[in-house]
Amino acid sequence: MTTDRPADPRARWAYLSQSERDAAYDVVTAVKNSAELSAERNAASAIARAKLRSELDLAYGPRHSAKIDLYPAARPEAPCLVFWHGGYWQKNSRELFAALVEGIAAHGWSVAIAGYSLAPEVTLTDIVAESRAALDWLAAHGPEHGIAGPVVTSGWSAGGHLVAMTLDHPVVAAGLSIAGVFELGPLRDTFLNAALRLTDAEIAALSPLRLPPVGKRLDLAYGTHELPALVLDSRDLHARRAAVGAPGRLLPLAGHDHFSILAELRRPDGALVQAARELIG
């Protein structure tokens, strides 16, 4: 595991231009082939969603996007991976991530992909509440749909933040956050805030780095070619949790960037598939 810390742009935040602040979180521009990687994943997801055994578009809340897609394993008692998509809480949808099902399903797991409403139509407070409501629904109704085993939550980017914010939910056994965002304060000074409209109260209440660590296991993964701000969010959250004895590993994946890292959750032999499986002892 690398011990070198990248230079943190937020250490000089007050002196940065608007374009420099934006660049610190602009994952799309930072990854030159991000559009191609996303397009390939979206196309593969359309195929997977059409062919895999599933129960789709199940409403867990009143809003249009408050729906969950279930991919039950053959055994109801099998572990279930719950996944939240990324997009800085303001773009993408659950349908575009069905390609992630097959990797861990090959090991006999169920998968649930939870959608959520997006900013600016709703606030980040609303989004976190919806993510908890999705877990409430799964705990209450999963067994009738063939999902009754232990739940591991996972998510990418903004979804990684939702993993941390729901780790304390009673149904959750452990979490795997992938390239998550754990300190919200700087986002208010970037292009992202046009939709998020973060308040002081939300930054304080919804930044995992500002909250007491939850004692359940949380593994934190990121690519070594990730933007420094996101690398440091994962490293700092891991250090903060380790300082109080909260369990979990830091998983830097060599050679991966913000988008390519998802390949490790798509393949049965992927590093993130293996990490998720190791969360259930």
Side-chain angles (χ1 to χ4, degrees):
M1 181 183 300
T2 181
T3 57
D4 296 330
R5 285 177 65 87
D8 189 349
R10 299 165 299 187
R12 301 180 53 254
W13 201 244
Y15 303 98
L16 298 186
S17 66
Q18 186 63 57
S19 62
E20 289 171 322
R21 291 179 179 185
D22 289 345
Y25 289 92
D26 189 349
V27 293
V28 171
T29 300
V31 179
K32 301 307 180 185
N33 65 335
S34 60
E36 290 81 1
L37 290 172
S38 295
E40 186 279 328
R41 184 199 68 229
N42 295 349
S45 291
I47 294 170
R49 202 166 183 264
K51 77 175 185 180
L52 295 174
R53 175 177 175 246
S54 62
E55 295 189 51
L56 305 176
D57 306 316
L58 300 170
Y60 68 79
R63 298 190 185 100
H64 173 74
S65 295
K67 293 183 174 67
I68 192 166
D69 292 342
L70 303 181
Y71 299 86
R75 297 183 304 112
E77 67 274 17
C80 178
L81 185 76
V82 175
F83 183 83
W84 282 288
H85 67 78
Y88 277 130
W89 309 276
Q90 56 196 273
K91 66 178 183 177
N92 290 327
S93 64
R94 70 189 187 285
E95 297 94 337
L96 304 179
F97 292 83
L100 306 182
V101 172
E102 293 177 285
I104 197 139
H107 298 280
W109 282 48
S110 296
V111 179
I113 301 183
Y116 53 89
S117 303
L118 302 176
E121 285 74 22
V122 300
T123 66
L124 187 53
T125 299
D126 295 326
I127 293 169
V128 171
E130 281 193 346
S131 67
R132 299 186 70 84
L135 294 171
D136 290 342
W137 185 94
L138 188 65
H141 300 286
E144 67 197 63
H145 296 280
I147 296 179
V151 169
V152 170
T153 52
S154 185
W156 167 67
S157 195
H161 167 267
L162 297 178
V163 170
M165 291 303 302
T166 58
L167 189 63
D168 65 333
H169 191 282
V171 80
V172 175
L176 171 61
S177 182
I178 305 162
V181 184
F182 305 121
E183 170 53 57
L184 302 179
L187 300 187
R188 188 162 54 181
D189 300 322
T190 73
F191 69 103
L192 297 168
N193 204 49
L196 293 174
R197 300 171 296 184
L198 292 166
T199 66
D200 288 343
E202 285 181 313
I203 289 169
L206 304 179
S207 291
L209 273 164
R210 303 191 187 200
L211 301 176
V214 176
K216 297 176 188 176
R217 181 168 167 179
L218 174 63
D219 283 5
L220 298 157
Y222 63 88
T224 58
H225 293 173
E226 179 61 85
L227 286 172
L230 298 189
V231 169
L232 293 170
D233 268 16
S234 288
R235 294 183 61 154
D236 290 347
L237 185 59
H238 176 263
R240 188 166 189 272
R241 288 174 50 80
V244 297
R249 297 176 297 176
L250 189 66
L251 302 173
L253 299 189
H256 279 300
D257 57 47
H258 193 74
F259 291 85
S260 68
I261 195 170
L262 285 179
E264 301 295 339
L265 198 58
R266 290 177 60 176
R267 303 192 318 270
D269 64 346
L272 292 175
V273 168
Q274 181 63 26
R277 294 176 65 205
E278 291 172 355
L279 289 171
I280 298 291

